[in-house]
PDB file of all heavy atoms in Angstrom:
ATOM      1  N   LEU A 451      12.496   1.810  19.753  1.00  0.00           N
ATOM      2  CA  LEU A 451      12.160   2.645  18.605  1.00  0.00           C
ATOM      3  C   LEU A 451      11.123   3.640  18.908  1.00  0.00           C
ATOM      4  O   LEU A 451      11.142   4.801  18.544  1.00  0.00           O
ATOM      5  CB  LEU A 451      11.550   1.624  17.505  1.00  0.00           C
ATOM      6  CG  LEU A 451      11.101   2.345  16.152  1.00  0.00           C
ATOM      7  CD1 LEU A 451      11.437   1.317  15.044  1.00  0.00           C
ATOM      8  CD2 LEU A 451       9.632   2.667  16.102  1.00  0.00           C
ATOM      9  N   LEU A 452      10.032   3.187  19.741  1.00  0.00           N
ATOM     10  CA  LEU A 452       8.901   4.130  20.070  1.00  0.00           C
ATOM     11  C   LEU A 452       9.417   5.240  20.990  1.00  0.00           C
ATOM     12  O   LEU A 452       9.040   6.354  20.880  1.00  0.00           O
ATOM     13  CB  LEU A 452       7.791   3.420  20.730  1.00  0.00           C
ATOM     14  CG  LEU A 452       7.061   2.321  19.741  1.00  0.00           C
ATOM     15  CD1 LEU A 452       6.050   1.523  20.628  1.00  0.00           C
ATOM     16  CD2 LEU A 452       6.521   3.003  18.742  1.00  0.00           C
ATOM     17  N   ALA A 453      10.311   4.960  21.862  1.00  0.00           N
ATOM     18  CA  ALA A 453      10.928   5.926  22.808  1.00  0.00           C
ATOM     19  C   ALA A 453      11.705   6.954  22.193  1.00  0.00           C
ATOM     20  O   ALA A 453      11.781   8.117  22.586  1.00  0.00           O
ATOM     21  CB  ALA A 453      11.640   5.217  23.997  1.00  0.00           C
ATOM     22  N   GLU A 454      12.425   6.635  21.039  1.00  0.00           N
ATOM     23  CA  GLU A 454      13.406   7.482  20.513  1.00  0.00           C
ATOM     24  C   GLU A 454      13.073   8.077  19.165  1.00  0.00           C
ATOM     25  O   GLU A 454      13.709   9.032  18.765  1.00  0.00           O
ATOM     26  CB  GLU A 454      14.857   6.657  20.287  1.00  0.00           C
ATOM     27  CG  GLU A 454      15.436   6.205  21.712  1.00  0.00           C
ATOM     28  CD  GLU A 454      16.594   5.473  21.361  1.00  0.00           C
ATOM     29  OE1 GLU A 454      17.247   5.535  20.375  1.00  0.00           O
ATOM     30  OE2 GLU A 454      17.150   4.855  22.496  1.00  0.00           O
ATOM     31  N   SER A 455      12.021   7.630  18.582  1.00  0.00           N
ATOM     32  CA  SER A 455      11.684   8.174  17.251  1.00  0.00           C
ATOM     33  C   SER A 455      10.853   9.363  17.315  1.00  0.00           C
ATOM     34  O   SER A 455       9.825   9.419  18.102  1.00  0.00           O
ATOM     35  CB  SER A 455      10.906   7.004  16.469  1.00  0.00           C
ATOM     36  OG  SER A 455      11.702   5.980  16.188  1.00  0.00           O
ATOM     37  N   ASP A 456      11.184  10.369  16.525  1.00  0.00           N
ATOM     38  CA  ASP A 456      10.303  11.485  16.298  1.00  0.00           C
ATOM     39  C   ASP A 456       9.069  11.369  15.236  1.00  0.00           C
ATOM     40  O   ASP A 456       8.213  11.980  15.277  1.00  0.00           O
ATOM     41  CB  ASP A 456      11.263  12.740  15.876  1.00  0.00           C
ATOM     42  CG  ASP A 456      12.376  12.960  16.837  1.00  0.00           C
ATOM     43  OD1 ASP A 456      12.021  13.562  17.821  1.00  0.00           O
ATOM     44  OD2 ASP A 456      13.515  12.603  16.416  1.00  0.00           O
ATOM     45  N   ILE A 457       9.453  10.375  14.413  1.00  0.00           N
ATOM     46  CA  ILE A 457       8.414   9.874  13.419  1.00  0.00           C
ATOM     47  C   ILE A 457       8.409   8.373  13.414  1.00  0.00           C
ATOM     48  O   ILE A 457       9.434   7.746  13.342  1.00  0.00           O
ATOM     49  CB  ILE A 457       8.877  10.378  11.956  1.00  0.00           C
ATOM     50  CG1 ILE A 457       8.989  11.994  11.982  1.00  0.00           C
ATOM     51  CG2 ILE A 457       7.741   9.937  11.039  1.00  0.00           C
ATOM     52  CD1 ILE A 457       9.598  12.402  10.710  1.00  0.00           C
ATOM     53  N   VAL A 458       7.207   7.837  13.478  1.00  0.00           N
ATOM     54  CA  VAL A 458       7.031   6.428  13.512  1.00  0.00           C
ATOM     55  C   VAL A 458       6.098   6.114  12.242  1.00  0.00           C
ATOM     56  O   VAL A 458       4.988   6.469  12.055  1.00  0.00           O
ATOM     57  CB  VAL A 458       6.371   5.881  14.740  1.00  0.00           C
ATOM     58  CG1 VAL A 458       6.018   4.353  14.590  1.00  0.00           C
ATOM     59  CG2 VAL A 458       7.204   6.068  15.933  1.00  0.00           C
ATOM     60  N   THR A 459       6.661   5.251  11.375  1.00  0.00           N
ATOM     61  CA  THR A 459       5.913   4.851  10.156  1.00  0.00           C
ATOM     62  C   THR A 459       5.767   3.213  10.086  1.00  0.00           C
ATOM     63  O   THR A 459       6.772   2.549  10.363  1.00  0.00           O
ATOM     64  CB  THR A 459       6.466   5.320   8.925  1.00  0.00           C
ATOM     65  OG1 THR A 459       5.654   5.042   7.823  1.00  0.00           O
ATOM     66  CG2 THR A 459       7.937   4.934   8.618  1.00  0.00           C
ATOM     67  N   VAL A 460       4.578   2.740   9.905  1.00  0.00           N
ATOM     68  CA  VAL A 460       4.299   1.267   9.995  1.00  0.00           C
ATOM     69  C   VAL A 460       4.169   0.728   8.610  1.00  0.00           C
ATOM     70  O   VAL A 460       3.434   1.259   7.757  1.00  0.00           O
ATOM     71  CB  VAL A 460       3.037   1.126  10.837  1.00  0.00           C
ATOM     72  CG1 VAL A 460       2.735  -0.337  10.878  1.00  0.00           C
ATOM     73  CG2 VAL A 460       3.076   1.693  12.191  1.00  0.00           C
ATOM     74  N   HIS A 461       4.870  -0.384   8.280  1.00  0.00           N
ATOM     75  CA  HIS A 461       4.789  -1.010   7.097  1.00  0.00           C
ATOM     76  C   HIS A 461       4.883  -2.584   7.197  1.00  0.00           C
ATOM     77  O   HIS A 461       5.605  -3.263   6.577  1.00  0.00           O
ATOM     78  CB  HIS A 461       6.093  -0.548   6.347  1.00  0.00           C
ATOM     79  CG  HIS A 461       6.084   0.824   6.027  1.00  0.00           C
ATOM     80  ND1 HIS A 461       5.225   1.555   5.219  1.00  0.00           N
ATOM     81  CD2 HIS A 461       6.825   1.883   6.518  1.00  0.00           C
ATOM     82  CE1 HIS A 461       5.442   2.837   5.152  1.00  0.00           C
ATOM     83  NE2 HIS A 461       6.476   3.103   6.040  1.00  0.00           N
ATOM     84  N   VAL A 462       4.083  -3.056   8.166  1.00  0.00           N
ATOM     85  CA  VAL A 462       3.991  -4.451   8.290  1.00  0.00           C
ATOM     86  C   VAL A 462       2.814  -5.089   7.583  1.00  0.00           C
ATOM     87  O   VAL A 462       1.804  -4.336   7.361  1.00  0.00           O
ATOM     88  CB  VAL A 462       3.756  -4.800   9.843  1.00  0.00           C
ATOM     89  CG1 VAL A 462       4.915  -4.303  10.719  1.00  0.00           C
ATOM     90  CG2 VAL A 462       2.452  -4.187  10.357  1.00  0.00           C
ATOM     91  N   PRO A 463       2.848  -6.384   7.224  1.00  0.00           N
ATOM     92  CA  PRO A 463       1.658  -7.075   6.581  1.00  0.00           C
ATOM     93  C   PRO A 463       0.652  -7.191   7.720  1.00  0.00           C
ATOM     94  O   PRO A 463       0.925  -7.247   8.984  1.00  0.00           O
ATOM     95  CB  PRO A 463       2.205  -8.355   6.074  1.00  0.00           C
ATOM     96  CG  PRO A 463       3.382  -8.513   7.003  1.00  0.00           C
ATOM     97  CD  PRO A 463       3.999  -7.288   7.285  1.00  0.00           C
ATOM     98  N   LEU A 464      -0.670  -7.483   7.342  1.00  0.00           N
ATOM     99  CA  LEU A 464      -1.611  -7.910   8.310  1.00  0.00           C
ATOM    100  C   LEU A 464      -1.637  -9.340   8.667  1.00  0.00           C
ATOM    101  O   LEU A 464      -1.750 -10.091   7.683  1.00  0.00           O
ATOM    102  CB  LEU A 464      -2.979  -7.422   7.827  1.00  0.00           C
ATOM    103  CG  LEU A 464      -4.113  -7.591   8.901  1.00  0.00           C
ATOM    104  CD1 LEU A 464      -3.968  -6.989  10.124  1.00  0.00           C
ATOM    105  CD2 LEU A 464      -5.552  -7.395   8.091  1.00  0.00           C
ATOM    106  N   ALA A 465      -1.184  -9.617   9.816  1.00  0.00           N
ATOM    107  CA  ALA A 465      -1.182 -11.190  10.221  1.00  0.00           C
ATOM    108  C   ALA A 465      -1.699 -11.166  11.684  1.00  0.00           C
ATOM    109  O   ALA A 465      -1.985 -10.108  12.354  1.00  0.00           O
ATOM    110  CB  ALA A 465       0.236 -11.585  10.150  1.00  0.00           C
ATOM    111  N   GLU A 466      -1.757 -12.397  12.250  1.00  0.00           N
ATOM    112  CA  GLU A 466      -2.288 -12.491  13.606  1.00  0.00           C
ATOM    113  C   GLU A 466      -1.425 -11.731  14.662  1.00  0.00           C
ATOM    114  O   GLU A 466      -1.990 -11.208  15.614  1.00  0.00           O
ATOM    115  CB  GLU A 466      -2.264 -14.009  14.005  1.00  0.00           C
ATOM    116  CG  GLU A 466      -3.416 -14.747  13.249  1.00  0.00           C
ATOM    117  CD  GLU A 466      -4.820 -14.166  13.485  1.00  0.00           C
ATOM    118  OE1 GLU A 466      -5.108 -13.790  14.705  1.00  0.00           O
ATOM    119  OE2 GLU A 466      -5.467 -13.898  12.471  1.00  0.00           O
ATOM    120  N   ASP A 467      -0.082 -11.694  14.363  1.00  0.00           N
ATOM    121  CA  ASP A 467       0.654 -10.970  15.412  1.00  0.00           C
ATOM    122  C   ASP A 467       0.887  -9.509  15.132  1.00  0.00           C
ATOM    123  O   ASP A 467       1.478  -8.845  15.846  1.00  0.00           O
ATOM    124  CB  ASP A 467       2.179 -11.606  15.373  1.00  0.00           C
ATOM    125  CG  ASP A 467       2.818 -11.627  14.027  1.00  0.00           C
ATOM    126  OD1 ASP A 467       2.127 -11.466  13.034  1.00  0.00           O
ATOM    127  OD2 ASP A 467       4.016 -11.644  13.965  1.00  0.00           O
ATOM    128  N   THR A 468       0.282  -8.959  13.990  1.00  0.00           N
ATOM    129  CA  THR A 468       0.303  -7.527  13.706  1.00  0.00           C
ATOM    130  C   THR A 468      -1.007  -6.885  13.946  1.00  0.00           C
ATOM    131  O   THR A 468      -1.231  -5.706  14.116  1.00  0.00           O
ATOM    132  CB  THR A 468       0.885  -7.232  12.387  1.00  0.00           C
ATOM    133  OG1 THR A 468       0.098  -7.823  11.340  1.00  0.00           O
ATOM    134  CG2 THR A 468       2.279  -7.717  12.218  1.00  0.00           C
ATOM    135  N   ARG A 469      -2.177  -7.733  13.928  1.00  0.00           N
ATOM    136  CA  ARG A 469      -3.470  -7.170  13.941  1.00  0.00           C
ATOM    137  C   ARG A 469      -3.603  -6.540  15.315  1.00  0.00           C
ATOM    138  O   ARG A 469      -3.461  -7.125  16.430  1.00  0.00           O
ATOM    139  CB  ARG A 469      -4.553  -8.214  13.809  1.00  0.00           C
ATOM    140  CG  ARG A 469      -5.989  -7.806  13.816  1.00  0.00           C
ATOM    141  CD  ARG A 469      -6.880  -8.826  13.595  1.00  0.00           C
ATOM    142  NE  ARG A 469      -6.679  -9.610  12.404  1.00  0.00           N
ATOM    143  CZ  ARG A 469      -7.362  -9.319  11.176  1.00  0.00           C
ATOM    144  NH1 ARG A 469      -8.149  -8.261  11.168  1.00  0.00           N
ATOM    145  NH2 ARG A 469      -7.191 -10.027  10.183  1.00  0.00           N
ATOM    146  N   GLY A 470      -3.914  -5.163  15.386  1.00  0.00           N
ATOM    147  CA  GLY A 470      -4.203  -4.488  16.606  1.00  0.00           C
ATOM    148  C   GLY A 470      -2.935  -4.199  17.400  1.00  0.00           C
ATOM    149  O   GLY A 470      -2.940  -3.785  18.520  1.00  0.00           O
ATOM    150  N   MET A 471      -1.694  -4.405  16.751  1.00  0.00           N
ATOM    151  CA  MET A 471      -0.499  -4.111  17.518  1.00  0.00           C
ATOM    152  C   MET A 471      -0.259  -2.633  17.991  1.00  0.00           C
ATOM    153  O   MET A 471       0.300  -2.422  18.882  1.00  0.00           O
ATOM    154  CB  MET A 471       0.667  -4.629  16.721  1.00  0.00           C
ATOM    155  CG  MET A 471       0.988  -3.732  15.468  1.00  0.00           C
ATOM    156  SD  MET A 471       2.561  -4.163  14.570  1.00  0.00           S
ATOM    157  CE  MET A 471       3.680  -3.661  15.651  1.00  0.00           C
ATOM    158  N   VAL A 472      -0.887  -1.739  17.210  1.00  0.00           N
ATOM    159  CA  VAL A 472      -0.810  -0.280  17.576  1.00  0.00           C
ATOM    160  C   VAL A 472      -1.877  -0.027  18.478  1.00  0.00           C
ATOM    161  O   VAL A 472      -3.045   0.332  17.969  1.00  0.00           O
ATOM    162  CB  VAL A 472      -0.822   0.590  16.263  1.00  0.00           C
ATOM    163  CG1 VAL A 472      -0.690   1.987  16.709  1.00  0.00           C
ATOM    164  CG2 VAL A 472       0.292   0.159  15.356  1.00  0.00           C
ATOM    165  N   ASP A 473      -1.748  -0.247  19.727  1.00  0.00           N
ATOM    166  CA  ASP A 473      -2.802  -0.062  20.786  1.00  0.00           C
ATOM    167  C   ASP A 473      -2.380   0.972  21.794  1.00  0.00           C
ATOM    168  O   ASP A 473      -1.571   1.729  21.518  1.00  0.00           O
ATOM    169  CB  ASP A 473      -2.961  -1.477  21.402  1.00  0.00           C
ATOM    170  CG  ASP A 473      -1.699  -2.015  22.136  1.00  0.00           C
ATOM    171  OD1 ASP A 473      -0.728  -1.297  22.171  1.00  0.00           O
ATOM    172  OD2 ASP A 473      -1.768  -3.105  22.515  1.00  0.00           O
ATOM    173  N   ALA A 474      -3.162   0.991  22.843  1.00  0.00           N
ATOM    174  CA  ALA A 474      -2.969   2.116  23.745  1.00  0.00           C
ATOM    175  C   ALA A 474      -1.512   2.048  24.386  1.00  0.00           C
ATOM    176  O   ALA A 474      -0.924   3.063  24.652  1.00  0.00           O
ATOM    177  CB  ALA A 474      -3.983   1.945  24.954  1.00  0.00           C
ATOM    178  N   ALA A 475      -1.086   0.863  24.634  1.00  0.00           N
ATOM    179  CA  ALA A 475       0.283   0.625  25.214  1.00  0.00           C
ATOM    180  C   ALA A 475       1.306   1.136  24.195  1.00  0.00           C
ATOM    181  O   ALA A 475       2.358   1.779  24.522  1.00  0.00           O
ATOM    182  CB  ALA A 475       0.506  -0.790  25.607  1.00  0.00           C
ATOM    183  N   PHE A 476       1.038   0.943  22.824  1.00  0.00           N
ATOM    184  CA  PHE A 476       1.968   1.347  21.905  1.00  0.00           C
ATOM    185  C   PHE A 476       2.109   2.887  21.942  1.00  0.00           C
ATOM    186  O   PHE A 476       3.191   3.386  21.928  1.00  0.00           O
ATOM    187  CB  PHE A 476       1.417   0.772  20.467  1.00  0.00           C
ATOM    188  CG  PHE A 476       2.163   1.225  19.261  1.00  0.00           C
ATOM    189  CD1 PHE A 476       2.996   0.201  18.687  1.00  0.00           C
ATOM    190  CD2 PHE A 476       2.097   2.443  18.678  1.00  0.00           C
ATOM    191  CE1 PHE A 476       3.705   0.621  17.484  1.00  0.00           C
ATOM    192  CE2 PHE A 476       2.808   2.877  17.627  1.00  0.00           C
ATOM    193  CZ  PHE A 476       3.599   1.903  16.951  1.00  0.00           C
ATOM    194  N   PHE A 477       0.871   3.582  21.829  1.00  0.00           N
ATOM    195  CA  PHE A 477       0.922   5.055  21.872  1.00  0.00           C
ATOM    196  C   PHE A 477       1.553   5.536  23.093  1.00  0.00           C
ATOM    197  O   PHE A 477       2.257   6.628  23.049  1.00  0.00           O
ATOM    198  CB  PHE A 477      -0.394   5.571  21.570  1.00  0.00           C
ATOM    199  CG  PHE A 477      -0.897   5.461  20.257  1.00  0.00           C
ATOM    200  CD1 PHE A 477      -2.074   4.587  19.957  1.00  0.00           C
ATOM    201  CD2 PHE A 477      -0.246   5.919  19.121  1.00  0.00           C
ATOM    202  CE1 PHE A 477      -2.589   4.441  18.706  1.00  0.00           C
ATOM    203  CE2 PHE A 477      -0.854   5.771  17.856  1.00  0.00           C
ATOM    204  CZ  PHE A 477      -1.842   5.112  17.641  1.00  0.00           C
ATOM    205  N   ALA A 478       1.271   4.911  24.298  1.00  0.00           N
ATOM    206  CA  ALA A 478       1.934   5.378  25.513  1.00  0.00           C
ATOM    207  C   ALA A 478       3.416   5.347  25.462  1.00  0.00           C
ATOM    208  O   ALA A 478       4.108   6.122  26.157  1.00  0.00           O
ATOM    209  CB  ALA A 478       1.366   4.612  26.641  1.00  0.00           C
TER     210      ALA A 478
END
Side-chain angles (χ1 to χ4, degrees):
L451 183 145
L452 295 178
E454 297 184 7
S455 296
D456 302 287
I457 303 167
V458 174
T459 183
V460 180
H461 301 288
V462 298
L464 181 62
E466 288 307 310
D467 59 340
T468 62
R469 186 182 297 273
M471 67 175 288
V472 181
D473 56 11
F476 180 104
F477 287 118

